[in-house]
Amino acid sequence: MISGLVQLFLWQGLGELLSKFFLPGIPGPVLGLLLLLVFLCARGQVNADLGLVADSFRQHLGLLFVPASVGVLLFLPELQTHALAVGTALLVSVILTIAVTAIVLKVFWYISLKRQKGHRHE
């Protein structure tokens, strides 16, 4: 488990360095996760230690929503003042998220079909 955590921290550190020196507009942890995703896609598998850490995080994912909930309650008066803007932003972001997810799914489905056709001809 320690090895898996160290791997995550290394990827986050690489993301932080990339963010600091080359892409200051994107948070380091986001870049670190993108680098990890690219690495895992290129490798084609997740090692056991990293998988164990990921499963542990997934089991306790609900705890990550506690700070967000506290923030919502803390800023409730401001949210009520700007309810229309916040509601519009949430609605648009949900619609865009669904649309982008559908597009990505369609692209991967198309790539999968191309690969299957390529394997049949061999």
Side-chain angles (χ1 to χ4, degrees):
M1 180 126 173
I2 298 295
S3 173
L5 283 171
V6 168
Q7 290 174 50
L8 285 179
F9 288 138
L10 286 174
W11 286 109
Q12 182 178 355
L14 285 172
E16 291 288 352
L17 288 172
L18 193 62
S19 174
K20 179 77 173 167
F21 295 112
F22 300 108
L23 299 166
I26 304 174
V30 172
L31 289 174
L33 280 177
L34 288 174
L35 290 171
L36 176 60
L37 177 66
V38 168
F39 172 75
L40 291 175
C41 286
R43 189 166 178 215
Q45 66 178 359
V46 177
N47 65 36
D49 291 331
L50 192 58
L52 181 64
V53 171
D55 286 340
S56 297
F57 279 161
R58 185 181 43 82
Q59 289 174 353
H60 299 95
L61 199 58
L63 294 175
L64 296 176
F65 293 107
V66 172
S69 303
V70 170
V72 167
L73 292 177
L74 183 65
F75 293 104
L76 193 58
E78 287 84 0
L79 287 172
Q80 289 173 338
T81 304
H82 304 290
L84 182 62
V86 171
T88 303
L90 286 172
L91 182 65
V92 169
S93 67
V94 166
I95 291 169
L96 286 175
T97 300
I98 291 170
V100 168
T101 302
I103 291 168
V104 169
L105 183 61
K106 196 165 192 166
V107 166
F108 282 139
W109 180 68
Y110 178 75
I111 291 171
S112 174
L113 284 178
K114 267 183 98 171
R115 283 187 180 171
Q116 286 177 358
K117 286 181 182 178
H119 286 290
R120 288 182 192 159
H121 293 296
E122 292 176 0

